[in-house]
């Protein structure tokens, strides 16, 4: 059972570079989301999707783009990386909405921006 | 002030001890989630509860809706329980309010 798969696990970027963090799930979940985790802070929601073709902003969306062309995949794009985006990023999924469904998390992507 | 507060922030216990981690929330929620994060690892959902108590192995989670408080208990703690435990309040729809986590270290 693959569950939620995130790639890459680690990445170092230079300021201004762009990249895409990949997230795929094989559980046919409608809801997918991206969080960032920073020291001393709780997980913060970046973007989420309630199904293919539908995305919405979370708490900290600036500097990130998402798209959901299939149920399985929900990539997160950094358009022009900034040091403030150094963080650990988690993708999560659940069958329906997030609040009252158990969330399935990926292993995280540790991203450093120099 | 965070909508979800956890205590303590850090906890060190001897193997075999009974452990309690507390979570208080100030917003209306439809479910309370407990998550576990091992060092360098991903996040695993332990419990989701909206009332009463749930038990899984040596882990017990309780919630008091009136007092807006939840606890996670670990009985007969073991070094493999060392992890960060995160409390999160979920609202119907797509909102989560996360605590900042409790870092637990169990010493053999």
């Amino acid at each position: 059972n693959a569950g939620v798969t995130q790639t890459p696990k680690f990445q170092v970027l230079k300021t201004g570079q762009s990249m895409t963090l990949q997230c795929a799930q094989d559980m046919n979940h409608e809801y997918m989301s991206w969080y960032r985790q920073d020291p001393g802070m709780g997980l913060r929601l970046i973007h989420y999707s309630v199904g293919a073709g539908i995305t919405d902003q979370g708490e900290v969306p600036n500097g990130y783009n998402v798209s959901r062309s299939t149920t399985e995949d929900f990539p997160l794009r950094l358009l022009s990386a900034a040091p403030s985006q150094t963080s650990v990023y988690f993708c999560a999924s659940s069958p329906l909405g997030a609040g009252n469904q158990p969330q399935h998390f990926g292993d995280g992507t540790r991203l450093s921006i120099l | 002030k965070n909508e979800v507060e956890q205590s303590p922030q850090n906890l060190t216990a001897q193997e075999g001890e009974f452990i309690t981690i507390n979570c208080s929330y100030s917003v209306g929620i439809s479910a309370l989630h407990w998550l576990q994060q091992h060092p360098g690892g991903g996040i695993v959902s332990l419990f989701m509860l909206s009332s009463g108590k749930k038990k899984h192995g040596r882990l017990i989670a309780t919630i008091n809706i009136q007092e807006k408080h939840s606890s996670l208990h670990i009985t007969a703690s073991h070094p493999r329980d060392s992890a960060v435990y995160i409390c999160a309040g979920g609202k119907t729809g797509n909102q989560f309010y996360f605590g900042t986590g409790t870092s637990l270290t169990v010493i053999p």
Side-chain angles (χ1 to χ4, degrees):
Chain A
N1 291 339
V4 178
T5 302
Q6 286 185 238
T7 56
K9 293 194 185 306
F10 302 94
Q11 184 70 48
V12 178
L13 292 177
K14 294 182 179 178
T15 297
Q17 287 184 315
S18 63
M19 82 160 293
T20 299
L21 279 61
Q22 302 291 345
C23 176
Q25 52 92 8
D26 61 359
M27 298 170 283
N28 202 34
H29 286 171
E30 291 295 329
Y31 179 86
M32 296 185 74
S33 56
W34 277 101
Y35 295 94
R36 60 179 289 173
Q37 185 179 44
D38 300 296
M41 305 184 75
L43 289 158
R44 292 185 291 168
L45 181 64
I46 304 171
H47 285 284
Y48 66 94
S49 168
V50 297
I54 306 170
T55 63
D56 206 347
Q57 295 181 349
E59 182 185 354
V60 287
N62 291 343
Y64 307 95
N65 273 1
V66 292
S67 60
R68 184 98 179 267
S69 56
T70 66
T71 299
E72 294 77 21
D73 299 298
F74 190 45
L76 177 73
R77 297 183 188 86
L78 279 69
L79 305 174
S80 178
S84 61
Q85 294 178 304
T86 293
S87 187
V88 182
Y89 292 85
F90 287 95
C91 178
S93 74
S94 63
L96 295 171
N100 53 0
Q101 299 257 320
Q103 295 294 293
H104 299 257
F105 287 86
D107 288 338
T109 295
R110 189 173 295 274
L111 182 63
S112 295
I113 315 294
L114 304 178
Chain B
K1 185 181 186 298
N2 291 337
E3 291 87 356
V4 174
E5 299 276 359
Q6 287 184 238
S7 64
Q9 284 188 313
N10 298 286
L11 182 56
T12 301
Q14 293 287 334
E15 184 174 355
E17 286 186 2
F18 180 85
I19 290 164
T20 296
I21 300 171
N22 294 302
C23 174
S24 297
Y25 53 94
S26 58
V27 293
I29 62 172
S30 56
L32 192 289
H33 300 249
W34 282 101
L35 312 173
Q36 181 192 55
Q37 183 175 25
H38 280 283
I43 298 170
V44 175
S45 179
L46 295 175
F47 295 103
M48 184 187 74
L49 64 167
S50 54
S51 65
K53 175 173 146 177
K54 286 191 175 180
K55 184 174 188 290
H56 184 251
R58 295 178 294 104
L59 272 61
I60 303 166
T62 64
I63 188 168
N64 183 317
I65 301 294
Q66 287 73 29
E67 294 186 3
K68 294 187 174 178
H69 181 270
S70 176
S71 293
L72 177 68
H73 306 286
I74 304 175
T75 61
S77 59
H78 190 277
R80 65 175 174 266
D81 297 324
S82 298
V84 174
Y85 292 85
I86 301 168
C87 167
K91 297 188 77 162
T92 302
N94 302 303
Q95 280 184 284
F96 261 117
Y97 301 95
F98 289 93
T100 54
T102 294
S103 179
L104 171 66
T105 302
V106 181
I107 300 170

